Amino acid sequence: MPDEQMANNNGQPPTPEPPVPAARPLDTIDRSILRMLQTDGRASIRSVAERVHVSRANAYARINRLMDDGVIRGFSALVDQERAGQGASAYITLKIVQNSWRTVRKQLTALPGATHIALVSGDFDVLLLVHTKDNRELRELVLTRIQSIPEVLSTRTLLVFEETDLGPEGE
């Protein structure tokens, strides 16, 4: 039985996830702050305020609102996977059992080297980006770990020969 239909421990149906509040519209200052933080997530409040021409208090309040509203989900470092010892990268497409997305997502999230997972439409259901040490480790990940997930019907592996991270403006 898929996890969406399972009851919780006391025999009651699962509690639905709370609705996500509607997003507030972003103005040009909000968009400028987002572009700046996408380029440099370590930018200080002072430098953000100076670049977008608002007070530090205003910049701080706007960044906190963007975080509270879920527009900014977090801050991270852009990693050169090859220099970090992850020389093989691949997009893996998966066809999965209908209504098993939550179960499959939970298992894929736990995979070593998984960096992006998307539920998509089209000829396959899931697109997964992984980074591994080498092709042998990639093969093991696909053939042993992913294909052993009962809800995964089929996979296709697309090796990445070269990749470029795009900046906030597609730079």
Side-chain angles (χ1 to χ4, degrees):
M1 176 182 283
D3 66 342
E4 294 86 23
Q5 298 171 357
M6 288 183 164
N8 63 20
N9 291 340
N10 63 8
Q12 299 297 314
T15 307
E17 295 179 21
V20 177
R24 291 185 248 191
L26 302 180
D27 63 17
T28 56
I29 292 172
D30 291 331
R31 292 185 193 288
S32 294
I33 290 171
L34 290 173
R35 275 192 304 278
M36 186 174 178
L37 291 176
Q38 283 178 297
T39 302
D40 180 7
R42 295 178 8 151
S44 68
I45 297 291
R46 181 180 178 171
S47 66
V48 170
E50 288 173 357
R51 294 261 318 264
V52 300
H53 308 291
V54 297
S55 70
R56 282 187 288 196
N58 189 340
Y60 182 79
R62 283 175 178 266
I63 291 170
N64 280 336
R65 180 180 50 81
L66 291 167
M67 289 170 35
D68 291 343
D69 287 353
V71 175
I72 296 175
R73 298 182 302 171
F75 296 88
S76 62
L78 295 176
V79 177
D80 182 318
Q81 296 295 334
E82 194 167 354
R83 292 184 61 88
Q86 302 295 300
S89 297
Y91 285 96
I92 303 167
T93 66
L94 295 84
K95 288 185 182 181
I96 62 173
V97 172
Q98 187 174 358
N99 296 324
S100 66
W101 165 239
R102 288 188 180 119
T103 301
V104 172
R105 178 181 58 194
K106 186 176 184 179
Q107 293 176 73
L108 295 177
T109 301
L111 292 174
T115 60
H116 185 84
I117 303 168
L119 179 66
V120 298
S121 65
D123 293 337
F124 49 88
D125 305 305
V126 178
L127 182 63
L128 171 67
L129 174 60
V130 298
H131 302 284
T132 61
K133 182 177 76 172
D134 54 28
N135 283 342
R136 178 172 290 167
E137 192 173 288
L138 175 62
R139 180 181 183 276
E140 182 71 17
L141 182 72
V142 174
L143 297 180
T144 303
R145 301 283 301 268
I146 296 172
Q147 291 184 357
S148 70
I149 299 171
E151 297 83 2
V152 172
L153 301 173
S154 66
T155 64
R156 177 172 284 169
T157 303
L158 307 165
L159 291 177
V160 174
F161 296 127
E162 185 176 318
E163 58 188 319
T164 302
D165 289 319
L166 301 178
E169 295 295 319
E171 298 164 352

